[in-house]
Amino acid sequence: MGLDFTAIDFETANGFRGSPCSVGLTKVRGGKIVAEASWLMRPPAGYDHFDHHNVRIHGITAADVAGMPRFGELFPEIGAFIGDDVLVAHNAAFDLGVIRSALEVSGLPGPAYHYVCTVMLSRRCYSLVSNSLPFAAEEAGVPLVNHHDAAEDARACAGILIDIAARNGANSIAELFLSLGLAMPHQQAFDPASGDLSKPSLAAIAASSGNGAALVSRFQSGWPEEGLNPEPNLDAEPGHPLYAQTVVFTGQLSIDRPEAKLRSARCGARTESRVTGRTTVLVVGDGFVATDLRSGRLTGKARRVLELHERGQAIEVLSEGEFLQMVGGGDSRQDAYAGAGEPWDGHLQGLHQHQPSPVVTFTN
């Protein structure tokens, strides 16, 4: 078996992960891209409002998808393109969660998938101060031009896995995971008619006021209150990306910092209030994006992290959007940022144009 898989990336309309408005897919055979597909779509009924912050990220509006099929109507085509492939995504738990939640609120069953997360592989195989998609793609030699275009993001994700496999001398995903001592994750098949709904779907249904708009809390300004550092949950899932990490927060978050620390601890992380030689993850608020690492738009804690990283300390910078994807959103405006598939880009310029749905191309 060669290096065969399908890479996937979703963009969502709002903070609920079950609100996909765009998807891009890239099919790889023998380590080469052979086909690509992308669709615009309306999110499931009742969860199809477009949040301003998500629109700022990907540039897709309600008008762009008006008259398009809903996700549930398109999924047979999406599923047919994927087939029996291993799914690959950058922050795969989010994209697999999009499929599950969007199908659940559509009242539709979903298939089982083996999947690969290129964020996890980037952390394992690269040495980057941020494993956000633009940084990992650049390291892999496939830099992004239109980040948050689902088709281009899926293509970049595919390029990352191809590069990591090549660096490890692996001719298949199975060989790669064997060489790294990893087990491939698996999402079970599900049927909302007979099984329990996922937590994001239950939360969205509970928060829905008839049009899918979740309750949000007012953004708090002022100097953040650190609060206590709770003990890590020793029974948390060891495979979680924050498990056994030491996490520090900087900048203004859209949730209270004590709440952010509590969510981290639930996932098995230890939190601290300042950057030290123990720090492995820094979560940055105030609309931080990966490009800020180059522009110098950083807090004092972030500058300290860059210094430690240059000295060889294994440490990573996350936006709050990435963090909330890992720990689960809450009643905060940042849910919209977390739901968009990548960090909130508060300075995104030149929103790209999108092709009519669907777009499918094949490559020799």
Side-chain angles (χ1 to χ4, degrees):
M1 182 180 298
L3 188 64
D4 302 341
F5 61 87
T6 293
I8 189 167
D9 180 81
F10 282 102
E11 302 295 332
T12 58
N14 55 69
F16 173 43
R17 64 177 58 179
S19 65
C21 58
S22 176
V23 65
L25 301 109
T26 297
K27 187 171 288 290
V28 172
R29 290 290 180 267
K32 303 292 185 182
I33 294 175
V34 297
E36 295 182 320
S38 63
W39 286 269
L40 291 176
M41 67 198 73
R42 284 185 295 161
Y47 303 90
D48 52 1
H49 67 286
F50 276 73
D51 185 276
H52 167 73
H53 302 291
N54 289 61
V55 173
R56 281 190 75 177
I57 292 169
H58 49 55
I60 304 170
T61 67
D64 293 327
V65 301
M68 298 290 185
R70 293 198 184 273
F71 173 81
E73 300 172 273
L74 273 176
F75 188 73
E77 293 182 60
I78 296 170
F81 186 92
I82 298 169
D84 296 326
D85 279 3
V86 173
L87 272 181
V88 178
H90 206 71
N91 196 357
F94 172 80
D95 294 279
L96 271 292
V98 171
I99 293 175
R100 174 151 190 166
S101 288
L103 288 175
E104 284 179 335
V105 297
S106 301
L108 299 172
Y113 288 113
H114 288 291
Y115 65 92
V116 172
C117 179
T118 50
V119 171
M120 180 272 291
L121 291 178
S122 175
R123 288 186 178 129
R124 176 67 70 95
C125 300
Y126 297 153
S127 180
L128 305 175
V129 71
S130 171
N131 288 286
S132 297
L133 186 61
F135 271 66
E138 183 178 22
E139 177 70 15
V142 285
L144 284 167
V145 176
N146 291 320
H147 186 24
H148 298 299
D149 177 280
E152 185 159 344
D153 284 0
R155 188 183 310 125
C157 177
I160 292 167
L161 182 53
I162 291 169
D163 178 67
I164 288 175
R167 293 188 188 203
N168 286 273
N171 295 313
S172 68
I173 293 177
E175 283 188 18
L176 175 62
F177 271 62
L178 182 63
S179 69
L180 296 175
L182 300 172
M184 189 178 305
H186 181 75
Q187 176 168 282
Q188 300 289 344
F190 59 90
D191 187 344
S194 59
D196 293 333
L197 298 182
S198 63
K199 289 181 180 179
S201 295
L202 289 171
I205 292 169
S208 176
S209 60
N211 64 357
L215 298 174
V216 297
S217 61
R218 184 179 300 275
F219 183 74
Q220 301 294 320
S221 61
W223 193 260
E225 174 62 41
E226 282 287 347
L228 299 176
N229 291 303
E231 288 297 315
N233 174 20
L234 300 180
D235 295 324
E237 172 56 49
H240 192 279
L242 293 180
Y243 186 84
Q245 303 297 317
T246 300
V247 182
V248 175
F249 296 89
T250 187
Q252 180 66 62
L253 307 180
S254 61
I255 60 175
D256 291 337
R257 198 168 289 184
E259 171 65 17
K261 290 184 173 184
L262 182 61
R263 295 190 193 186
S264 300
R266 288 172 181 164
C267 298
R270 181 173 299 280
T271 63
E272 295 186 341
S273 300
R274 63 188 183 90
V275 174
T276 70
R278 295 183 297 272
T279 306
T280 58
V281 174
L282 179 73
V283 178
V284 187
D286 295 320
F288 164 83
V289 290
T291 53
D292 291 337
L293 294 172
R294 296 193 180 95
S295 68
R297 182 180 170 271
L298 299 171
T299 66
K301 286 182 179 177
R303 292 190 182 93
R304 173 64 174 156
V305 161
L306 289 180
E307 293 173 2
L308 292 173
H309 186 269
E310 289 175 356
R311 296 177 187 175
Q313 182 169 330
I315 194 166
E316 179 179 1
V317 178
L318 296 178
S319 71
E320 187 184 3
E322 292 172 301
F323 169 74
L324 285 177
Q325 284 185 5
M326 294 176 183
V327 301
D331 288 339
S332 72
R333 72 169 192 167
Q334 188 71 29
D335 287 352
Y337 313 157
E342 277 294 310
W344 169 45
D345 189 343
H347 302 276
L348 186 65
Q349 303 292 328
L351 296 174
H352 50 270
Q353 300 297 315
H354 296 270
Q355 297 295 324
S357 168
V359 178
V360 182
T361 60
F362 295 90
T363 306
N364 291 329

